[in-house]
Amino acid sequence: MLKDIIFSMVIGGSVGIISHVRKHGKIIMPRKTKKFVYLGFLEEILLCLVACLLVVIYTTPNSLVENILVSVLVGVSSDIILTRFKLLNEKNEK
């Protein structure tokens, strides 16, 4: 089980960094402004990593292939959810 958890976290982090580069075209480093801290690429890595971790713990895949498929699907769906929240926030600000 520990092997599955670690493997899903690696896949989730990889999907997070790939989605970040796909959206922005480059890796944006974390920075601190006067009002808040912008996490940059760490935001998407952590989101995908935690989502993959929770789903793999909950579903307990039986094989390595299931673990890969579940982790990739959860990573991509968490990226879609994050993008949707950002779009809703931009729409509410206007």
Side-chain angles (χ1 to χ4, degrees):
M1 183 67 186
L2 183 61
K3 180 177 65 173
D4 292 336
I5 291 172
I6 292 171
F7 192 67
S8 70
M9 289 172 62
V10 169
I11 290 176
S14 301
V15 170
I17 201 159
I18 289 169
S19 67
H20 178 79
V21 171
R22 182 184 54 84
K23 272 194 270 186
H24 301 287
K26 61 181 180 178
I27 294 178
I28 299 174
M29 299 302 289
R31 66 180 186 271
K32 184 178 179 182
T33 62
K34 290 184 179 179
K35 294 190 178 181
F36 72 84
V37 176
Y38 178 68
L39 293 177
F41 73 97
L42 292 177
E43 175 184 10
E44 288 159 3
I45 288 176
L46 290 174
L47 179 73
C48 292
L49 189 135
V50 170
C52 287
L53 177 68
L54 292 174
V55 169
V56 166
I57 288 174
Y58 182 72
T59 60
T60 60
N62 295 326
S63 67
L64 184 65
V65 174
E66 285 181 16
N67 193 359
I68 292 170
L69 290 175
V70 166
S71 297
V72 169
L73 287 174
V74 169
V76 170
S77 64
S78 65
D79 177 49
I80 291 169
I81 290 170
L82 182 64
T83 304
R84 180 69 177 156
F85 282 145
K86 285 184 180 179
L87 287 175
L88 289 174
N89 284 339
E90 290 174 3
K91 188 183 253 186
N92 287 338
E93 288 177 0
K94 291 181 181 181

